Amino acid sequence: EVQLVESGGGLVKPGGSLRLSCAASGFSFSNAWMSWVRQAPGKGLEWVGRIKTKTDGETTDHAAPVRGRFGISRDDSKNTLYLEMNSLKTEDTALYYCTTDRRYDILTGYYYYGMDIWGQGTTVTVSS
Amino acid sequence: QSVLTQPPSASGTPGQRVIISCSGSSSNIGNNYVYWYQQVPGTAPKLLIYRNNQRPSGVPDRFSGSKSGTSASLSVSGLRSEDEADYYCAAWDDSLSGRVFGGGTKLTVL
């Protein structure tokens, strides 16, 4: 079964840190660009950042509001994506989704474009 | 304020066709692909349209996407009650070096 499972969310004080994880299964994780997308309570979707595959240099891009505070990394040996969050602010409170951004299926030889696989999300609450 | 502009709401009766617009600029929609996502409240978003007008496997052909210049639109025909959800457009923005979403459109089936 194709699946993404986020974990690591919780309550943290302003200025604190948190690391989110996203475990992937059922697809070729090492051939997938991965993104984090968040959704504040009652608000719309906001892209947080993305990491490309090792083949594509494992380069990262981050949204302006989190640049310099958040870092995305991946461990292909563990099929896991990470989001390291530092200097957290109250406005970072949101449900954080892990999602594929673009992936290559080695069995079919097809590329899948767009965020086609999503996790269920993990909640981060920044409050004193 | 979202970089991509969508109407906050849209509505239609069962069987009707509804069109949701998404307006951007040359740095995003004008120069990059547009994607559309459907989110039923309380659930994760679902990819509806990729690369302007392509449907992933399993998405009904009642959903279609188009793009012209710096604007895009999502058409939902043969409206059904289960189409009631929030719809988001998205594109890469070259100036921001990041992906941007529209503010979302809440579709109500009357």
Side-chain angles (χ1 to χ4, degrees):
Chain A
E1 181 191 5
V2 172
Q3 202 172 7
L4 291 170
V5 179
E6 302 94 335
S7 61
L11 174 63
V12 61
K13 288 181 167 50
S17 298
L18 209 56
R19 187 175 86 155
L20 306 184
S21 299
C22 170
S25 59
F27 67 96
S28 180
F29 178 78
S30 62
N31 288 303
W33 293 8
M34 299 296 297
S35 278
W36 287 97
V37 173
R38 68 184 181 183
Q39 188 168 33
K43 302 295 184 183
L45 302 175
E46 181 184 20
W47 181 79
V48 173
R50 144 185 108 179
I51 185 166
K52 296 183 178 180
T53 58
K54 193 168 187 174
T55 303
D56 291 318
E58 227 169 271
T59 55
T60 58
D61 296 287
H62 296 83
V66 308
R67 205 168 287 152
R69 299 188 298 123
F70 289 14
I72 299 174
S73 61
R74 64 190 299 157
D75 186 339
D76 291 346
S77 69
K78 296 181 179 179
N79 285 347
T80 302
L81 176 73
Y82 301 101
L83 179 64
E84 191 77 41
M85 303 185 293
N86 300 307
S87 304
L88 281 160
K89 305 176 181 180
T90 55
E91 52 263 41
D92 295 319
T93 293
L95 180 63
Y96 283 74
Y97 291 104
C98 160
T99 175
T100 53
D101 192 281
R102 186 187 91 164
R103 61 189 179 93
Y104 176 71
D105 188 321
I106 56 176
L107 293 179
T108 64
Y110 290 152
Y111 273 98
Y112 292 85
Y113 298 99
M115 299 176 181
D116 71 326
I117 304 171
W118 293 72
Q120 84 290 346
T122 186
T123 300
V124 172
T125 304
V126 185
S127 173
S128 54
Chain B
Q1 293 285 48
S2 300
V3 173
L4 303 182
T5 301
Q6 298 180 235
S9 63
S11 63
T13 56
Q16 270 191 332
R17 184 173 81 134
V18 169
I19 296 176
I20 297 172
S21 62
C22 176
S23 176
S25 67
S26 58
S27 65
N28 41 67
I29 292 178
N31 205 36
N32 294 290
Y33 291 114
V34 177
Y35 300 80
W36 289 91
Y37 299 89
Q38 176 194 59
Q39 186 180 34
V40 174
T43 69
K46 170 188 172 183
L47 178 65
L48 270 187
I49 298 289
Y50 67 95
R51 290 196 157 188
N52 301 336
N53 54 19
Q54 302 300 301
R55 274 188 312 276
S57 174
V59 173
D61 59 7
R62 301 186 297 105
F63 294 91
S64 63
S66 65
K67 175 183 133 174
S68 178
T70 59
S71 292
S73 62
L74 173 72
S75 174
V76 185
S77 61
L79 206 56
R80 303 174 67 156
S81 58
E82 58 259 39
D83 298 333
E84 200 161 271
D86 296 317
Y87 292 82
Y88 296 90
C89 59
W92 186 262
D93 190 294
D94 296 326
S95 297
L96 298 174
S97 294
R99 195 170 301 284
V100 291
F101 283 96
T105 298
K106 183 177 183 59
L107 175 60
T108 301
V109 181
L110 303 170

